Amino acid sequence: MRRSLARRYLVGALALSALVGLTACSSGPSDPSTPSGEPQTGGTLKVAIDLDPYCFDGQQNAQTALHNVVRQFLDSLTIYDPETKELNPWLAESWEVNDDMSEFTFHLRDDVTFSNGEQFTAEHVKANFDRIISLGALSVKGSGYLQGYVETEIVDDYTAIVKFDRPRVSFLTATADSVLGMYAMETIETAPEATCLGENLIGSGPFVVSQIVKSERISLVKREGYNWAPETMAHQGEAYLDGIDFSILPERSVRVGALQSGQVDASMGIPPLDAAGFTASGFQVLTFSNPGIPNNLSVNSKAIPDVEMRRALQKSIDREEIRQIVYGGTYDEVRGAISPSTIGFIDLSDHLAYDPDGAKAYFESQGWTMGSSGFYEKDGQILSFTSAHIAPGNDVLFEMVQQQLARVGVQLQLNGIEASVATESRRNGTFNTLQTQQTSLDPDVIRSLYSPVSGSNGLQLDADSELGQLIEGQAYETDVDKRMEMIEEIQRILVEDAYLLLTNIQTQVQVATSNVQGLSFNLNANLSFYDVQLTQ
Amino acid sequence: MIRYVGLRIFYGVLVVFLSYALVFVLLNVLPGDPVELMLSRGGDATYIDPQLLEEMRQRLGYDRPLFVQFFDGLFGVMRGDLGTSAMTGASVSGEIFRALPSTFTLAFFALLIGLPVGVAVAVIAVLIHRPAISEFFRGIPVLNASMPTFWVGLLVMQVLSFQLKWFPAYGTEGWQTLVMPAMTLAVPVIAVTGQVLIKSMDEQTLEPYTSTVWAKGATRARVQIRHVLRNSLIPVITAVALTASSLLAGAVIVETVFSRNGLGRITVTAILNKDIPMVQGIVIVATVLVVLANLLVDLLYPLLDPRIRKAYGK
């Protein structure tokens, strides 16, 4: 069974790599397809989305696919420049931070209005953050961003100070996320269960919600008079498109068919193996590697304390083979402990080379001998580890990892588990290796997953270990340069001491017809339709 | 007669109660904390603040002893209160009743297509004695029964929408959007109606009364349609009630493939997002619907068949 599965993927991969070789695919925010000459205005873009959101309110529901929609009608205080990875002004013209990074003063633009006519003021900043706090468990991501929030002080109409009871070095990064986007008072005064169903979702963005039909579609129309686009955009003023119709098509083959038959102009969530076929037939394929922690098997340092053993396991994983066979060569390669779009990323690919001979040499130096089962053995024991991954979505990937480890004589026992069981075993330390990944722009995500003090302790570190102290300490380091040095050191240890057995980077794949121009991702992994033109 | 009706209603209530109890036990026997399950949506390894977990546990009442949860939930069901969604805080019964009309419309049109086609196929299969033709029509319900709804939906869409471009692949506006989903959902209806009716008509054809009709010089069509078909319809009505559950199951797939809102779709969303109160509510409402369909048929029997009426007396 398994062999035939592998063969099927191999045949597919060979065919695909031939296609990929012939056509270039644009990738990432650094390479948006920019149109030339007079901009083409008008037209309604039809987009298929893969996710059926359980809730349409962006402050409550943090699912990435929903935020590809929310970003179009909700503006934020700040935005990241995808080229420089610098924080840029948006609704906030400028900001100051106090010395211990617990108070953030925002100076707001005075020319912004919501689509219902409300003027955007400091009141809105206060009301939005207060709302997220009162949402509590209904806004898991938002509450996380506002951990330690005390209050927002309104200095004058266009100045607000956001106060925390502790240093919050990652808060500024969070203000760029549409989960902390700014709603009008009318939305904030609506009951959260009604906004979830799509009622009264009013923002100040370049598009306005015109109709939401649960499980079916979300229609947006252009906001007349929009004039506060951030400078990171390719143009100013109103959006080029008249509107966007998002259709919720959860079934993969329906999205593919709708795109091929011209019933939609673009589709999100196209599997990598299909994407290569689209490239070959003249469609544009946009990929974006989500920021945050790449997909990996995080090692329980109590279960596998021998750093050389962990390094040998790291050497046994052939990441290029995974990229080609499981992901059709569409995904970027994994090059470090965090994804390249994450703030503070350093390239550690030198430590991620595939070296099966090196791995075998280490096992043999430790007295392991190749047994009749094809695995290394010592004192009648097989060299064997368990791994847990979120099933069923990742089965093919981890079966591949299992095969790769088997090639060097290590047995990996796979367990497909439910996400909540993963959360539990991460906390309790009942694992050898556990699949982990998380999308986040700020490297503080390392703390929430791995800190033994204020996180899930996903590596089972001791609080007084060097790594444990670095991970926890960076969150309170108010000197930005010093913090970045700590972040670099953490990445080095995570990869060099092989705490994270890295496999691949979670990548979004979007496909559009050649008539759609100017579609790009922002650094928060959301699509931006503001610069999009629909040509004939 | 009253005893007959009373017994049927009692069985119905019992089934609803058992399904409530089964769901409750399953949820509490399965590994993993339900509240943690609900908050860890998707593959991301989110760190959840223990304070948020506690807040959620209290809001949904999972901090109370199990028997309190069991009976409180049960009394809620009796009052028609199915609790609130863990995801959105909205009322579960509200969400379900908003979704029902769309599913009912779909099921109605599926029956409208499926029943006449099923009956026609069966009548032709029994009426025509040329083996090739009869076997062909006898094969249609079997074929329908063996085709998975999921596959039929995608196939219909591939041909009628992507290739011929007659109908839109998705959307809910206009009658065109209803054609493909209703056709797909009619497939199991045709299967059940056709199979049961063919079998029933074959049996009836061998009954002695047909000889009498033949002897009186009736034509084959008159024997089969006027006498045999009428006597064969009782099992078909039972079968139609049984399709109520397969229509609900089919709606899960058809509504997902054709991107329509409805009971099937909210089931999928609730399961994917681990909205336990919502899943519980849907199971109960689905059980009630199936029980009602069966009850309706049970109550129809005595009206349709004098023998049953006589058996239960006054």
Side-chain angles (χ1 to χ4, degrees):
Chain A
M1 261 321 267
R2 192 149 291 157
R3 186 175 297 157
S4 75
L5 186 73
R7 193 184 303 138
R8 209 165 72 215
Y9 277 94
L10 191 64
V11 170
L14 288 175
L16 292 175
S17 51
L19 297 175
V20 171
L22 291 173
T23 49
C25 61
S26 63
S27 75
S30 53
D31 181 25
S33 43
T34 31
S36 52
E38 271 298 288
Q40 184 104 23
T41 56
T44 295
L45 191 74
K46 285 176 284 179
V47 183
I49 58 176
D50 50 333
L51 172 98
D52 186 3
Y54 61 86
C55 170
F56 292 102
D57 180 345
Q59 288 183 355
Q60 297 188 51
N61 181 350
Q63 290 168 307
T64 312
L66 176 73
H67 280 262
N68 282 332
V69 178
V70 168
R71 182 77 289 174
Q72 319 313 320
F73 65 83
L74 208 57
D75 288 348
S76 286
L77 292 175
T78 61
I79 190 168
Y80 270 91
D81 183 329
E83 313 252 336
T84 62
K85 287 199 204 172
E86 296 275 328
L87 198 61
N88 272 40
W90 195 354
L91 295 184
E93 273 175 335
S94 62
W95 50 87
E96 290 116 38
V97 186
N98 71 345
D99 286 343
D100 75 346
M101 295 194 107
S102 64
E103 292 185 14
F104 300 81
T105 309
F106 293 96
H107 303 282
L108 310 175
R109 286 182 77 128
D110 59 6
D111 59 347
V112 176
T113 55
F114 290 95
S115 57
N116 64 351
E118 276 178 36
Q119 176 81 23
F120 171 69
T121 65
E123 289 281 352
H124 287 94
V125 177
K126 178 178 169 52
N128 274 285
F129 290 161
D130 288 355
R131 175 181 196 248
I132 289 168
I133 293 297
S134 70
L135 285 172
L138 290 175
S139 174
V140 173
K141 196 171 185 187
S143 315
Y145 281 153
L146 293 178
Q147 236 174 28
Y149 176 82
V150 178
E151 58 160 351
T152 301
E153 185 188 319
I154 298 166
V155 178
D156 59 50
D157 276 0
Y158 300 106
T159 312
I161 307 177
V162 183
K163 296 181 174 176
F164 293 90
D165 64 5
R166 63 192 85 162
R168 284 306 316 276
V169 296
S170 61
F171 174 66
L172 276 180
T173 312
T175 59
D177 192 328
S178 40
V179 169
L180 296 189
M182 293 287 137
Y183 279 125
M185 286 298 176
E186 198 178 331
T187 308
I188 293 165
E189 284 156 12
T190 307
E193 53 271 23
T195 57
C196 243
L197 294 172
E199 279 173 39
N200 281 346
L201 293 176
I202 301 160
S204 60
F207 292 92
V208 180
V209 178
S210 69
Q211 198 191 16
I212 290 182
V213 184
K214 194 172 158 50
S215 294
E216 289 170 17
R217 65 198 178 86
I218 308 163
S219 301
L220 307 181
V221 294
K222 178 173 79 178
R223 168 81 192 272
E224 307 280 339
Y226 184 79
N227 199 25
W228 42 89
E231 281 174 14
T232 54
M233 293 296 165
H235 83 289
Q236 289 291 310
E238 295 179 357
Y240 293 134
L241 293 169
D242 287 340
I244 313 168
D245 274 341
F246 292 96
S247 297
I248 299 164
L249 305 180
E251 176 50 39
R252 179 197 65 89
S253 53
V254 176
R255 290 195 300 279
V256 171
L259 195 57
Q260 281 167 339
S261 62
Q263 298 187 44
V264 295
D265 304 305
S267 177
M268 304 181 192
I270 297 290
L273 294 175
D274 287 319
F278 274 110
T279 315
S281 44
F283 286 81
Q284 319 172 48
V285 175
L286 257 89
T287 60
F288 184 73
S289 302
N290 286 352
I293 306 276
N295 215 355
N296 70 83
L297 286 174
S298 295
V299 181
N300 181 343
S301 60
K302 295 282 182 293
I304 314 179
D306 174 7
V307 60
E308 289 301 330
M309 173 60 82
R310 294 199 301 261
R311 285 179 185 154
L313 294 174
Q314 186 81 288
K315 287 175 190 167
S316 312
I317 298 175
D318 183 352
R319 280 161 272 270
E320 185 56 21
E321 188 185 39
I322 291 175
R323 199 173 80 83
Q324 292 298 340
I325 295 187
V326 183
Y327 301 108
T330 310
Y331 284 20
D332 289 338
E333 53 211 24
V334 57
R335 288 186 292 154
I338 53 181
S339 144
S341 49
T342 324
I343 292 159
F345 163 80
I346 53 167
D347 190 325
L348 293 165
S349 38
D350 290 351
H351 298 273
L352 293 170
Y354 177 52
D355 179 13
D357 296 331
K360 284 181 184 167
Y362 175 70
F363 301 140
E364 279 159 20
S365 75
Q366 295 300 301
W368 294 91
T369 50
M370 184 54 77
S372 54
S373 55
F375 297 115
Y376 279 104
E377 290 176 14
K378 187 159 76 177
D379 309 328
Q381 293 274 348
I382 286 179
L383 182 54
S384 171
F385 301 100
T386 61
S387 80
H389 65 269
I390 314 294
N394 302 289
D395 288 344
V396 175
L397 167 64
F398 287 99
E399 279 167 19
M400 179 112 231
V401 173
Q402 185 184 43
Q403 287 176 26
Q404 292 180 348
L405 289 186
R407 285 206 295 256
V408 298
V410 179
Q411 185 187 48
L412 190 68
Q413 299 170 43
L414 300 182
N415 297 294
I417 55 170
E418 163 53 46
S420 63
V421 179
T423 313
E424 234 177 277
S425 44
R426 181 172 296 113
R427 205 176 36 222
N428 303 335
T430 52
F431 63 96
N432 286 172
T433 66
L434 177 62
Q435 185 202 358
T436 306
Q437 82 169 61
Q438 170 122 30
T439 304
S440 171
L441 187 50
D442 195 279
D444 194 42
V445 63
I446 299 173
R447 184 182 56 86
S448 72
L449 287 174
Y450 299 125
S451 166
V453 180
S454 62
S456 308
N457 203 9
L459 302 171
Q460 294 295 306
L461 298 168
D462 291 322
D464 58 0
S465 64
E466 187 202 356
L467 182 57
Q469 285 184 335
L470 276 171
I471 290 176
E472 184 63 18
Q474 58 77 27
Y476 302 100
E477 180 50 66
T478 51
D479 180 332
V480 175
D481 293 334
K482 241 184 178 162
R483 179 181 179 230
M484 281 306 142
E485 279 170 26
M486 293 168 85
I487 299 281
E488 283 187 15
E489 187 57 23
I490 293 168
Q491 293 175 61
R492 261 195 207 99
I493 299 175
L494 286 176
V495 172
E496 286 174 17
D497 290 351
Y499 284 101
L500 308 186
L501 306 178
L502 294 149
T503 57
N504 68 295
I505 298 193
Q506 191 62 25
T507 306
Q508 288 192 60
V509 182
Q510 326 283 15
V511 178
T513 65
S514 54
N515 295 338
V516 180
Q517 296 196 307
L519 190 60
S520 65
F521 281 98
N522 66 27
L523 212 52
N524 287 84
N526 305 133
L527 281 170
S528 170
F529 291 92
Y530 172 69
D531 287 326
V532 170
Q533 301 173 31
L534 197 53
T535 60
Q536 293 315 310
Chain B
M1 195 61 209
I2 289 170
R3 198 175 136 256
Y4 173 83
V5 174
L7 207 61
R8 289 292 175 279
I9 293 176
F10 171 74
Y11 287 154
V13 172
L14 191 68
V15 169
V16 175
F17 169 76
L18 287 178
S19 77
Y20 169 79
L22 186 69
V23 173
F24 186 88
V25 169
L26 274 180
L27 280 176
N28 287 292
V29 163
L30 289 178
D33 172 22
V35 177
E36 201 152 324
L37 184 85
M38 284 184 272
L39 283 180
S40 43
R41 289 154 223 156
D44 265 10
T46 320
Y47 169 69
I48 305 160
D49 193 333
Q51 203 184 325
L52 292 187
L53 271 177
E54 206 39 52
E55 182 199 315
M56 184 88 157
R57 203 183 305 282
Q58 281 176 16
R59 183 164 70 78
L60 296 170
Y62 284 107
D63 54 341
R64 300 167 304 166
L66 277 185
F67 75 93
V68 176
Q69 290 182 41
F70 181 85
F71 285 106
D72 198 52
L74 188 63
F75 293 138
V77 171
M78 289 184 197
R79 288 194 310 268
D81 172 11
L82 300 174
T84 56
S85 154
M87 304 294 98
T88 64
S91 136
V92 168
S93 35
E95 290 265 307
I96 293 175
F97 286 105
R98 252 192 302 281
L100 277 181
S102 165
T103 303
F104 280 157
T105 312
L106 189 60
F108 174 77
F109 282 99
L111 287 173
L112 203 67
I113 299 173
L115 286 180
V117 173
V119 171
V121 165
V123 170
I124 296 172
V126 177
L127 203 60
I128 294 182
H129 264 202
R130 294 272 294 275
I133 298 175
S134 178
E135 283 310 311
F136 173 75
F137 279 92
R138 280 169 190 272
I140 290 178
V142 181
L143 188 69
N144 276 266
S146 10
M147 293 190 296
T149 318
F150 187 73
W151 180 79
V152 175
L154 290 178
L155 191 72
V156 166
M157 185 181 283
Q158 188 66 40
V159 176
L160 299 187
S161 178
F162 299 153
Q163 304 288 330
L164 299 172
K165 304 194 176 171
W166 288 353
F167 303 105
Y170 60 91
T172 42
E173 273 161 28
W175 62 271
Q176 295 95 332
T177 60
L178 202 59
V179 177
M180 293 193 301
M183 272 172 66
T184 308
L185 201 53
V187 166
V189 180
I190 295 171
V192 173
T193 319
Q195 277 177 308
V196 173
L197 192 57
I198 288 173
K199 183 152 193 304
S200 175
M201 283 178 80
D202 281 344
E203 280 169 12
Q204 290 290 330
T205 311
L206 301 175
E207 291 283 318
Y209 71 81
T210 51
S211 311
T212 318
V213 185
W214 280 119
K216 288 167 98 176
T219 59
R220 173 190 294 286
R222 188 176 167 83
V223 173
Q224 293 293 3
I225 292 168
R226 183 135 173 88
H227 297 272
V228 171
L229 180 62
R230 275 182 74 179
N231 281 303
S232 308
L233 278 176
I234 285 269
V236 174
I237 290 167
T238 315
V240 170
L242 289 177
T243 59
S245 54
S246 66
L247 283 175
L248 285 179
V252 170
I253 289 157
V254 170
E255 287 171 358
T256 303
V257 170
F258 294 96
S259 184
R260 305 173 62 86
N261 194 15
L263 193 63
R265 196 62 180 283
I266 64 171
T267 311
V268 175
T269 313
I271 290 172
L272 288 181
N273 294 294
K274 299 158 189 168
D275 191 341
I276 290 171
M278 187 67 108
V279 175
Q280 276 176 311
I282 293 167
V283 170
I284 295 186
V285 170
T287 314
V288 169
L289 289 177
V290 172
V291 164
L292 280 181
N294 283 290
L295 188 66
L296 191 71
V297 169
D298 282 344
L299 299 181
L300 269 178
Y301 284 152
L303 300 181
L304 295 177
D305 193 332
R307 286 169 299 184
I308 298 175
R309 203 158 49 218
K310 213 168 264 171
Y312 278 88
K314 276 120 221 141

